Amino acid sequence: MKNRKIVQVSKNLLSKVASILVVGLVMTAHAEQPVKTLNVYTSQKEEFVKPVFAAFEKSSGIKVQFVSDKGPVLIEKMKAEGSRSTVDLFLTVDAGNLWLAQKEGLFAPVQSEILNKNIPSQYRHTGNEWFGFTLRARTILYNVNKVKPSELSTYEDLADTKWKGRLCLRTSKNVYNQSLVAMMLDKQKPQQVETTVKGWVANLATDVFPDDTKMIEAIAAGQCDVGIANHYYLARLAKDNPKIPVAVFWANQKTEGVHVNIFGAGVLKSSKNKQDAQKLLEWFASQEGQTVLAQNNMEFPILTGVKPAELVAKWGSFKPSNQSLSKAGELQAESVQLMDRVLYK
Amino acid sequence: MSLIKSLLIFLFIGPLLTLFWWQGTLDFEILEHIWSYTLGPSIIQTVILVLGVSFICYGLGTLFCGWLFYFSGPFRNFLLLLLVLPLAWPSLNLAYLQRDFFSYSGFLMSFLREYQWPIFSVAPLFGAILSLSTGLMPYVLVAGYFGFFRQQSKIVELTKTWSLESWQIRKHLILPAIFRMSVFPLIAVGFEVLSDFGAVSVWNVDSLSALILKTWFSMFSIQSAKFLSWLILFAAISLILIRWIFTRKTYEDLQFSAAVDSELILKKDYFYFVGCIFFILYLSVAYIAPLASLTKEFKWEFFVNFFNESVFWSLNSLGTQLLLVLLIAVILIGLHAFLFTAMTQRWLIARPIFYLGYALPGTILVVAFLPLFSWIKMIPGWSQSYLVFFFLILWAYVVKYANVGLSLLDGHSKSLNRSIEEILSFRTTETSQFSKWLILCRYHFGQIFPVILILWIDILKELPLMLALRPFGFNTLMTKSYDLISEGFWAQAMPFSVLLFILGAIGVWSMLYFQRMRVHNE
């Protein structure tokens, strides 16, 4: 009896749900599309790109709709879609992904005076297929109660035995560390880089961390004294907790400069809306766009004269590495193999 | 019927063929590197992970099954709910909170340091086993508990006839019975562990799935990643073989063995106290650790914003998302029932295909659907339509979760068939396969509904497929939660994660409710 009742109630419920679903599907399928819309694939998280696109929309009247996922997944998606793709722009946070997309022949060259003028050559593709708009510095962070800035100098120095049991690192599976090691491979002999990375592993105070935030919290708590992280992670933590006992040290200032990566983008070859896509790139490189980007993601603007976020500006200026960022992608597989060899997990 | 069968075969095999069909050449340098440096440790860690999680899930599941029978009435139901609720946590969120709790700067170690007590660190592999076990043990518990319950009367008779002591009942009847009932969920646990990327990435464990994704994302070699996915196929086949061996025994033995009446084991001996200790330990890991980490960063403003700034309604929308989940669950179950009657029993080779979809990491399965995604875009006017997305995501979820429903329905196959044949023998007209399917659905609705609820929970928590196949601007609670957690914004991610947990918890509660009703009705 009870069973029959459940079946009856469930049948009613299911039929109601089905009718709502059909109405919902029809409504969503016929949702109006704005006249001017740009479609973007991005590996940057929605939290950061949403306000930036909103500002662009306000300024240009062009609506931006996007999907975010991991860079390589989006690249594979774009490859599969080929000329049928409805995507106009690929926006990502690592030069390695831009390099890969370019290598796969997904980008179209963009001829723009604004972009050529505002973006230094090391932060864009030689054939103008992708461009970097803000810089993220991967540098040394230290616990102010345990380390004096005078004790610090370079990434390579962190392999010295004086840091034994005092170093914290993020996992080698993360693209930021892979890019850092790739750029070291570009400047130094593989054996030298291997010695450095091996030294880092030997100096670890604890297991590697899954993300920079947790690593910085460990430095603040005193689990380790120094670490390597992207500067904006500290900025985010310092925004909530200004008394956090962790400070930034700009690494390798007497040598090649701090390792930087970019927030960059390229227009897709298959784009049906290249003109508007170029407008978005030019807006990123403009005074207005640079200010919005810098305030929003706490990265360093590429355009001279635009100030970074106040908190980040307090850390002072630094000499960034002038290596071509294409190398980060080119040497990434090699850097991963090197880290595997020295058991950097 | 054969046309439908062929279509169904294509439905499953089509995407998987795309996955294993590679163009271009393999990168032998990368494969050689993997062979020399990372494959061995990855296989070892995966084996430890699968065995560790299965062992803990079985141990705890069995212990709690027996232990719950010391209690009666609503209190027992409440304890059961407490033990099963962690199923509602996505493994990524749970692992993140647990790692945070046990980290040096986390709640526990900060507390110990403050009072100058000795601190300890949790090894990554152990941490991953802990996180996965917390979330997966409920599968074993639910299957064991209700299977156990169903056989109660037979065992009461047996124990009275044989005049057994409580330890004899436990040793000779309860534990072996629960073990056999736990084989199905234990194998499902194995598949979940094989395909997991959430907990292993948080704890930084080099499992096979982590290696495959590293090969793709970091060494940019998708061909090598696809090649390595074959290892998952072998692992899945091994689990299927184990399942097959135990399944054969299970049906024979279940005829006479199973659970025991609470009256016969109510003596509060060592078993009761061991159960209490593990109950407290489990609750600490499943509730106190996540709650402590949650409250550490709790900010009321984010919850207020979540509702006020229409984030809650703008998940395109929450209603659409939930309907989608329900639709997928209902379609899946219908399909399961159909496959179950129409094909799987006669065509056993189909099974590994269902299992493979479940065992493969979601991100790899995505690769199989990308060409389909692109072909569908050829249809004029469809490229921006939500209908395309619904269709694709539905297809992908069917391939991914076919195993869940089938495994759960499988346990009833023999009795089910017999009932259908009995019913059909009263009919004068010839009955088609489709009518059989309808009868099956009708007469076994009680079993199908809990399966829908398990699928509801699984689909709510699913990430990689939704992340890659969703249309522009479409977010789910899980994608939002992942976005924020991966950037270290736990406070902002909290409203999404908590709502996700609540929705999952409703599924868990309903599942237990329906299971209980079904057992009572039987």
Side-chain angles (χ1 to χ4, degrees):
Chain A
M1 192 66 187
K2 257 187 183 175
N3 242 348
R4 204 174 293 166
K5 209 175 172 183
I6 299 168
V7 172
Q8 194 56 46
V9 170
S10 309
K11 270 182 183 172
N12 290 340
L13 189 74
L14 283 179
S15 63
K16 277 174 190 160
V17 166
S19 23
I20 296 169
L21 194 72
V22 169
V23 174
L25 280 174
V26 171
M27 281 170 72
T28 48
H30 290 91
E32 267 185 40
Q33 292 293 321
V35 183
K36 274 190 160 187
T37 307
L38 270 180
N39 295 333
V40 177
Y41 278 175
T42 176
S43 67
Q44 178 64 300
K45 301 291 181 286
E46 185 183 341
E47 193 75 4
F48 302 108
V49 288
K50 208 173 174 179
V52 174
F53 290 148
F56 172 69
E57 195 180 330
K58 204 175 167 187
S59 153
S60 66
I62 302 168
K63 188 181 165 61
V64 181
Q65 50 181 19
F66 62 94
V67 163
S68 61
D69 199 347
K70 289 194 179 294
V73 176
L74 293 172
I75 291 172
E76 207 53 39
K77 206 168 160 181
M78 290 184 285
K79 269 169 65 184
E81 289 169 1
S83 58
R84 293 182 292 274
S85 180
T86 49
V87 185
D88 302 299
L89 211 81
F90 177 50
L91 188 73
T92 183
V93 287
D94 177 67
N97 285 325
L98 290 168
W99 170 83
L100 181 63
Q102 190 275 327
K103 194 181 140 220
E104 298 287 355
L106 295 171
F107 290 144
V110 176
Q111 300 309 330
S112 158
E113 271 184 36
I114 299 172
L115 294 174
N116 289 349
K117 194 180 129 201
N118 292 0
I119 300 170
S121 60
Q122 69 268 32
Y123 304 132
R124 60 184 151 93
H125 178 245
T126 45
N128 287 337
E129 293 194 22
W130 54 258
F131 304 86
F133 300 103
T134 50
L135 296 180
R136 31 182 62 205
R138 190 152 192 83
T139 192
I140 299 171
L141 304 184
Y142 63 97
N143 184 315
V144 290
N145 300 323
K146 293 178 146 191
V147 178
K148 287 178 190 156
S150 56
E151 293 176 72
L152 298 159
S153 58
T154 60
Y155 302 110
E156 291 78 7
D157 179 61
L158 294 179
D160 192 282
T161 46
K162 71 178 176 191
W163 298 110
K164 192 149 187 74
R166 299 172 70 189
L167 177 68
C168 270
L169 287 176
R170 185 177 181 166
T171 169
S172 71
K173 292 184 190 82
N174 178 260
V175 70
Y176 302 144
N177 283 340
Q178 292 162 3
S179 291
L180 171 67
V181 174
M183 294 312 250
M184 289 165 78
L185 279 168
D186 181 44
K187 279 275 176 183
Q188 302 165 23
K189 286 180 182 162
Q191 290 82 355
Q192 274 177 289
V193 182
E194 197 162 321
T195 310
T196 301
V197 181
K198 205 183 268 181
W200 289 351
V201 175
N203 288 343
L204 284 176
T206 181
D207 289 309
V208 292
F209 289 82
D211 58 61
D212 279 7
T213 308
K214 289 286 154 222
M215 192 191 76
I216 299 169
E217 282 175 359
I219 298 174
Q223 189 175 19
C224 40
D225 300 346
V226 286
I228 300 173
N230 283 4
H231 76 277
Y232 53 83
Y233 286 108
L234 177 60
R236 288 176 199 165
L237 286 173
K239 200 175 158 187
D240 284 343
N241 174 19
K243 287 181 183 168
I244 188 167
V246 180
V248 164
F249 177 83
W250 300 121
N252 295 46
Q253 291 302 282
K254 290 180 183 165
T255 55
E256 69 270 18
V258 174
H259 166 65
V260 286
N261 215 319
I262 49 166
F263 168 87
V267 176
L268 292 198
K269 210 181 258 177
S270 56
S271 167
K272 318 285 181 294
N273 200 2
K274 289 196 179 73
Q275 219 174 351
D276 285 342
Q278 186 170 331
K279 271 186 199 163
L280 177 56
L281 294 188
E282 287 172 349
W283 183 80
F284 280 149
S286 71
Q287 187 94 16
E288 187 196 351
Q290 287 279 293
T291 311
V292 172
L293 281 174
Q295 296 303 320
N296 189 60
N297 61 17
M298 295 211 174
E299 293 184 15
F300 293 97
I302 263 173
L303 189 64
T304 329
V306 178
K307 284 182 183 170
E310 199 186 332
L311 206 147
V312 176
K314 277 184 194 165
W315 296 340
S317 57
F318 62 91
K319 181 176 102 178
S321 162
N322 62 1
Q323 288 166 275
S324 165
L325 282 172
S326 293
K327 289 286 174 191
E330 229 170 278
L331 296 168
Q332 189 166 308
E334 202 180 317
S335 81
V336 172
Q337 291 177 28
L338 185 147
M339 291 192 278
D340 282 343
R341 283 199 297 274
V342 298
L343 305 176
Y344 176 11
K345 283 185 79 184
Chain B
M1 189 53 67
S2 58
L3 179 72
I4 296 172
K5 277 185 192 174
S6 312
L7 277 172
L8 283 171
I9 292 164
F10 173 74
L11 178 82
F12 286 95
I13 298 180
L16 296 172
L17 277 181
T18 324
L19 179 62
F20 291 109
W21 179 273
W22 57 81
Q23 298 159 317
T25 49
L26 280 171
D27 192 331
F28 286 104
E29 195 199 320
I30 286 178
L31 285 175
E32 196 186 328
H33 167 81
I34 289 169
W35 176 259
S36 312
Y37 293 98
T38 49
L39 188 62
S42 284
I43 290 175
I44 292 170
Q45 295 206 24
T46 308
V47 170
I48 295 174
L49 205 61
V50 172
L51 291 179
V53 176
S54 304
F55 179 75
I56 292 181
C57 285
Y58 169 64
L60 284 184
T62 308
L63 178 70
F64 291 143
C65 259
W67 181 74
L68 281 169
F69 280 82
Y70 284 103
F71 306 95
S72 58
F75 190 60
R76 184 199 285 175
N77 296 338
F78 174 69
L79 291 179
L80 179 66
L81 182 68
L82 274 183
L83 288 167
V84 180
L85 264 188
L87 197 64
W89 277 116
S91 75
L92 172 80
N93 299 23
L94 184 64
Y96 184 89
L97 289 169
Q98 287 176 330
R99 178 160 181 161
D100 184 58
F101 180 77
F102 288 112
S103 70
Y104 186 86
S105 55
F107 185 89
L108 180 63
M109 298 307 155
S110 301
F111 177 83
L112 293 176
R113 276 188 286 125
E114 201 172 315
Y115 292 95
Q116 295 183 340
W117 287 343
I119 59 164
F120 60 92
S121 64
V122 177
L125 192 56
F126 180 73
I129 291 174
L130 199 74
S131 295
L132 285 165
S133 306
T134 314
L136 296 174
M137 187 281 287
Y139 283 119
V140 182
L141 176 60
V142 169
Y145 181 81
F146 288 105
F148 203 68
F149 222 113
R150 223 167 277 134
Q151 303 291 328
Q152 233 170 326
S153 53
K154 289 177 189 169
I155 289 301
V156 173
E157 274 172 39
L158 276 176
T159 45
K160 277 177 184 166
T161 320
W162 295 349
S163 318
L164 294 174
E165 292 289 322
S166 67
W167 68 269
Q168 288 173 313
I169 298 166
R170 215 170 279 137
K171 190 182 170 191
H172 299 295
L173 292 169
I174 301 176
L175 295 180
I178 295 174
F179 176 68
R180 282 165 203 145
M181 287 167 205
S182 307
V183 170
F184 295 117
L186 267 178
I187 298 299
V189 164
F191 288 131
E192 288 265 4
V193 176
L194 276 179
S195 67
D196 176 76
F197 190 62
V200 294
S201 65
V202 169
W203 287 100
N204 199 35
V205 171
D206 293 319
S207 67
L208 263 179
S209 63
L211 175 66
I212 291 169
L213 295 184
K214 187 166 109 173
T215 309
W216 178 11
F217 294 167
S218 303
M219 298 200 247
F220 300 140
S221 179
I222 192 165
Q223 301 303 344
S224 309
K226 281 181 177 183
F227 183 74
L228 288 171
S229 297
W230 280 95
L231 291 172
I232 299 272
L233 173 69
F234 292 129
I237 289 171
S238 314
L239 287 174
I240 294 161
L241 281 176
I242 295 170
R243 179 184 182 278
W244 181 70
I245 293 164
F246 281 102
T247 309
R248 290 183 68 196
K249 276 184 77 89
T250 307
Y251 292 131
E252 292 156 20
D253 296 352
L254 272 182
Q255 300 301 320
F256 64 85
S257 75
V260 66
D261 193 346
S262 53
E263 285 170 25
L264 296 165
I265 55 165
L266 266 178
K267 282 181 215 162
K268 289 191 176 171
D269 56 7
Y270 71 95
F271 191 83
Y272 171 77
F273 293 107
V274 170
C276 287
I277 291 166
F278 276 93
F279 178 71
I280 293 164
L281 282 176
Y282 181 76
L283 253 53
S284 311
V285 175
Y287 291 97
I288 296 172
L291 279 176
S293 298
L294 272 172
T295 46
K296 195 182 83 174
E297 291 187 48
F298 179 81
K299 277 182 187 157
W300 185 242
E301 63 189 86
F302 290 121
F303 276 86
V304 174
N305 290 345
F306 179 63
F307 289 100
N308 282 354
E309 293 177 9
S310 67
V311 179
F312 175 73
W313 302 107
S314 67
L315 292 165
N316 306 102
S317 63
L318 188 66
T320 315
Q321 191 190 132
L322 296 181
L323 283 175
L324 176 69
V325 169
L326 190 65
L327 177 74
I328 294 170
V330 170
I331 289 184
L332 267 170
I333 205 66
L335 192 71
H336 289 153
F338 185 81
L339 282 168
F340 180 70
T341 45
M343 198 168 74
T344 54
Q345 288 180 57
R346 291 176 186 84
W347 202 57
L348 287 171
I349 201 159
R351 285 171 189 277
I353 296 161
F354 308 141
Y355 292 123
L356 185 62
Y358 193 49
L360 274 174
T363 317
I364 290 293
L365 199 60
V366 162
V367 181
F369 282 91
L370 291 181
L372 305 170
F373 185 76
S374 141
W375 296 336
I376 289 172
K377 281 199 163 187
M378 284 169 79
I379 304 167
W382 273 47
S383 57
Q384 301 286 330
S385 168
Y386 270 25
L387 279 172
V388 177
F389 150 71
F390 281 143
F391 173 72
L392 258 180
I393 206 90
L394 216 102
W395 190 351
Y397 277 33
V398 165
V399 175
K400 174 80 185 161
Y401 291 109
N403 174 59
V404 179
L406 278 171
S407 293
L408 289 163
L409 288 175
D410 238 13
H412 299 261
S413 63
K414 289 212 167 176
S415 58
L416 220 81
N417 266 350
R418 204 175 300 136
S419 344
I420 292 170
E421 295 308 327
E422 278 164 19
I423 294 156
L424 294 176
S425 63
F426 292 106
R427 297 196 167 206
T428 45
T429 51
E430 203 177 310
T431 315
S432 69
Q433 197 73 11
F434 186 70
S435 316
K436 277 189 187 180
W437 175 62
L438 285 179
I439 293 164
L440 175 103
C441 287
R442 193 174 159 199
Y443 281 85
H444 297 276
F445 192 80
Q447 174 61 25
I448 286 169
F449 210 72
V451 178
I452 290 182
L453 290 165
I454 284 186
L455 286 166
W456 162 273
I457 300 160
D458 267 345
I459 295 165
L460 268 177
K461 298 190 289 184
E462 202 283 329
L463 182 66
L465 292 172
M466 182 59 84
L467 211 55
L469 299 177
R470 68 200 162 131
F472 288 109
F474 191 90
N475 271 307
T476 65
L477 288 169
M478 191 58 211
T479 60
K480 279 296 289 184
S481 169
Y482 160 77
D483 258 8
L484 293 161
I485 288 174
S486 60
E487 281 298 317
F489 293 137
W490 177 246
Q492 287 93 323
M494 218 182 285
F496 298 95
S497 304
V498 169
L499 184 59
L500 192 62
F501 180 78
I502 291 170
L503 288 172
I506 292 170
V508 169
W509 181 84
S510 315
M511 180 187 70
L512 292 179
Y513 178 77
F514 277 98
Q515 284 277 32
R516 257 200 309 273
M517 270 181 60
R518 205 177 126 246
V519 170
H520 283 302
N521 287 339
E522 277 175 9

